[in-house]
Amino acid sequence: MRTGNAHALSLGAGWMVVASAMFALMGVCVKSGAATFSPVALVFWRTSLGVVSVGAAALWRRDAFATPWMRYHMQRGLIGFVSLLLSFYAMAHLPLSTAVTLTYTSPIFLAALSVVLLGETLSRRGVTGILLGFAGVLLLLRPTFAADAWPASLAGLLSGALAGWSYLHVRELGRRGEAEWRVVFYFALLSSVGSAVIMACGFAPWRTPDLASLPVLAGVGATATLGQLAMTRAYKVGNKLLAANLAYLTVVFAALLGWGLWDDALDAGKVMSMTLIVISGIFASRR
């Protein structure tokens, strides 16, 4: 039994490392594609592949798309869509490590919103996590405000807040026994339709992909889809708490990739703020 548990832990941990690497690479693709495509267009390409792949797999298995919880899907999808738009905007205008770290404040906001909206109580560890998280955010944002990058910084922070809110709906869908693939599918579908409507109405430009841009767009969709699948697998076969903690490797991978590809600075203040946010997220998730 112990050998089996150890194998499950290592397998789950391995899948979460893969997921974290995929999400960090997705950030690289988004930042690279932002020179040519708007954040709205990048969201469209990121989610369209998810609609096709998840939908095709469901059709192959002959799963039912109908669900009695469509209202929750719509709410989660709308909130998640806006969060995704804001995170892509932040990635386009901020150092990759800063943008990714801000979006990973979602567990802090999830803990806070659970108190405000659901009336849950926080342990001392949860309160400590929230306080550490906001201290880390203030430390991380200080240089961006000085460099007049505050719109993108606020977009990244708001993305984290909305992601935390959307996770409340995901948790509610899980409690009601909703299939995981439908949660992923309807979020991707609403985001694809929403971004297509925004571009069709002229609020964001549409650019037809060419051969030079196809690898980046394919990379956005592929890394996001593979990351989602690997993360789902990690939570299914491994320890959920360990998987949640290892998810923060995305921040580490993003910092290293940003430093290697764009020479993003990793000074002591930035490393300290990122560390505080990661620790706070771990504390908040254990509330």
Side-chain angles (χ1 to χ4, degrees):
M1 182 64 71
R2 290 182 180 177
T3 302
N5 289 339
H7 177 70
L9 283 173
S10 61
L11 188 61
W15 279 115
M16 185 52 79
V17 172
V18 172
S20 298
M22 288 297 104
F23 288 136
L25 288 172
M26 184 197 73
V28 171
C29 293
V30 168
K31 195 165 184 65
S32 300
T36 307
F37 296 93
S38 69
V40 178
L42 291 171
V43 167
F44 174 79
W45 292 109
R46 178 252 189 260
T47 55
S48 295
L49 183 58
V51 172
V52 173
S53 59
V54 176
L59 288 172
W60 177 266
R61 296 189 304 264
R62 297 185 179 181
D63 289 335
F65 287 84
T67 172
W69 315 118
M70 187 57 71
R71 178 170 65 92
Y72 291 98
H73 283 290
M74 295 297 292
Q75 291 173 347
R76 187 264 168 160
L78 179 59
I79 297 168
F81 171 50
V82 176
S83 173
L84 194 59
L85 281 175
L86 292 170
S87 70
F88 278 23
Y89 177 82
M91 289 180 191
H93 295 89
L94 292 173
L96 183 61
S97 58
T98 301
V100 170
T101 303
L102 288 173
T103 61
Y104 270 72
T105 58
S106 55
I108 306 169
F109 288 105
L110 175 59
L113 289 169
S114 296
V115 175
V116 176
L117 299 179
L118 303 180
E120 295 183 0
T121 57
L122 285 179
S123 64
R124 289 184 179 179
R125 179 178 289 175
V127 174
T128 301
I130 291 176
L131 294 177
L132 283 176
F134 284 111
V137 167
L138 291 175
L139 186 60
L140 184 65
L141 292 186
R142 187 175 61 180
T144 64
F145 277 89
D148 293 329
W150 60 268
S153 299
L154 290 182
L157 190 60
L158 183 56
S159 171
L162 290 175
W165 190 9
S166 74
Y167 291 152
L168 285 179
H169 292 84
V170 172
R171 190 169 69 180
E172 184 62 28
L173 285 166
R175 287 175 175 174
R176 293 173 184 269
E178 183 63 293
E180 293 176 350
W181 75 266
R182 276 198 290 265
V183 177
V184 175
F185 174 78
Y186 282 115
F187 163 65
L189 179 62
L190 192 147
S191 298
S192 297
V193 172
S195 52
V197 168
I198 290 174
M199 291 186 289
C201 293
F203 294 110
W206 165 261
R207 179 185 173 92
T208 302
D210 53 25
L211 289 177
S213 60
L214 277 178
V216 171
L217 295 178
V220 172
T223 53
T225 302
L226 291 173
Q228 188 72 44
L229 292 172
M231 182 178 67
T232 301
R233 188 68 177 171
Y235 280 111
K236 184 176 182 178
V237 304
N239 180 278
K240 291 180 173 56
L241 186 57
L242 177 62
N245 292 345
L246 287 175
Y248 283 99
L249 284 174
T250 302
V251 174
V252 178
F253 290 147
L256 294 175
L257 287 168
W259 170 72
L261 295 174
W262 292 286
D263 199 26
D264 291 344
L266 284 175
D267 54 41
K270 189 171 187 178
V271 171
M272 182 181 297
S273 62
M274 291 166 61
T275 302
L276 281 175
I277 290 172
V278 169
I279 293 174
S280 70
I282 294 173
F283 274 26
S285 65
R286 295 184 179 183
R287 67 183 186 281

